[in-house]
Amino acid sequence: MNEQLTKHISKFVAVGDDELVEINRFFKVVNVKKKANLLVAGDTCNQTFFVSKGLLRKFFISDKGVENTTEFALENWWITDVLSFTNRHSSEFYIQAVENAEVLSLSRENYQRLLHQHPAMEKYFRCIFEKAYGAAQMRIKYQYDFSREELYHHFRLRHPEFLQRVPQYLIASYLGFTPEYLSEIRRKSLS
Amino acid sequence: MNEQLTKHISKFVAVGDDELVEINRFFKVVNVKKKANLLVAGDTCNQTFFVSKGLLRKFFISDKGVENTTEFALENWWITDVLSFTNRHSSEFYIQAVENAEVLSLSRENYQRLLHQHPAMEKYFRCIFEKAYGAAQMRIKYQYDFSREELYHHFRLRHPEFLQRVPQYLIASYLGFTPEYLSEIRRKSLS
DNA sequence: CGGTCTCTTGACGGAGTTCAAAGCTAGTGG
DNA sequence: CCACTAGCTTTGAACTCCGTCAAGAGACCG
């Protein structure tokens, strides 16, 4: 039984200890080494992942061959390609460990069984997606509102933990610009 | 009882006619005139809206005083500022009718009562947010992948209905560039 | 130590913005 | 039903942010 996950569930719904034990059975613990992939573009995403330890990222490769990191996920975050997961079509994304990580994997079949057998989990995931949707809305807003330089400073202030744990070129890839330009911004902010 | 909404709910969950009648009682029909606001920046968003007829948009005003349209919603779409709605803090967004519209308004209190009294609606909204989150993920992906010009052509092909119903400057505002540049792109594609 | 990743620097070019002004369209009131 | 006006769209010139390319300097790992 994973403490990280049960704590997280309990933040959103009231579930007894017995039921929490039951719920845990649906998940499988997976250890991922740095740079190893949990999902590869072209495959269908058959799992959704809860990060209990470490740091993952989601990215795709553009026509020009550039990696674009659309998302980071650290402890207590969920990460998956939702569209591929729910619609069973092949994914354009990779999900990869930035650091060695431990995740709890929930397969599509178990996801559906879990929701069916434990109605409290409908509420839990409703809350999770509600939050995730809200966060995505803000992400989208920032894209309109900020210049690339402002995006960096905003990110730096709101997520200092990532600057410690993630190499610069991945930060650049996440913010949607080149490592060269990130380097230039950093130089400017020093002086 | 609103047919539009009941049909939509039935697409996601199996609910009997009697319960559908009950569910409908939680909603209030609101008619909005073109350019009228359902939400104004600074206010807390106390409702979520289901569009049964017409077309709405969500936008915010940047520091420089420019309107940025982050979302359109037409028939059968939900629209709200989720973060303001769930966390009860003031919103930075406006929600405005692009055309005369009819919406079903669900207040925060009724939303919670509805979820509590009709567990099927937990599932319904879980599905709605799952889809909305998936769509937002794709929106974010496009921002990395496409140039502004490509964004326009992609939008034009996938949402031709909007080009009919929405003035150009709002399309530009949605795609995140200036009306002048949109005009230039259109000229290029004609020749 | 040696080699491969990562970060920095600088020159140049191009996509997209800003500003200003003119043409067009559609709604409104008389 | 027409005329007027405010708002929408187009054009063009100057400018800027940021990407591309190329090359060098560190840093980390075997």
Side-chain angles (χ1 to χ4, degrees), chain A residues 10-126:
Chain A
S10 301
K11 274 208 291 192
F12 294 92
V13 286
V15 184
D17 285 353
D18 298 352
E19 192 171 359
L20 281 171
V21 172
E22 281 304 311
I23 290 169
N24 263 267
R25 289 197 213 288
F26 290 84
F27 292 82
K28 189 178 143 202
V29 179
V30 178
N31 284 289
V32 228
K33 290 250 145 113
K34 184 171 171 171
K35 300 245 173 186
N37 291 317
L38 283 168
L39 172 66
V40 172
D43 293 357
T44 301
C45 183
N46 294 317
Q47 287 97 30
T48 179
F49 305 103
F50 177 83
V51 182
S52 53
K53 216 179 133 204
L55 177 53
L56 308 182
R57 69 178 180 124
K58 184 161 83 179
F59 68 94
F60 68 95
I61 298 180
S62 72
D63 297 343
K64 295 144 204 154
V66 180
E67 287 188 7
N68 293 82
T69 301
T70 61
E71 198 179 332
F72 290 116
L74 38 68
E75 288 83 6
N76 293 326
W77 293 28
W78 285 90
I79 188 165
T80 190
D81 178 349
V82 211
L83 286 182
S84 173
F85 182 70
T86 63
N87 301 333
R88 298 160 191 261
H89 59 222
S90 76
S91 176
E92 301 166 58
F93 290 97
Y94 297 77
I95 295 177
Q96 187 180 82
V98 175
E99 306 169 349
N100 292 339
E102 180 191 272
V103 305
L104 301 180
S105 162
L106 179 62
S107 71
R108 190 185 299 106
E109 293 69 35
N110 275 347
Y111 177 62
Q112 268 142 21
R113 275 187 220 122
L114 175 62
L115 290 171
H116 192 250
Q117 294 173 28
H118 299 275
M121 294 304 279
E122 281 285 7
K123 180 173 178 181
Y124 172 70
F125 280 107
R126 196 257 303 157

Side-chain angles (χ1 to χ4, degrees), chain B residues 18-30:
Chain B
D18 297 352
E19 192 170 359
L20 282 171
V21 172
E22 280 304 312
I23 288 168
N24 262 266
R25 290 199 213 287
F26 289 84
F27 292 83
K28 189 177 141 203
V29 179
V30 177

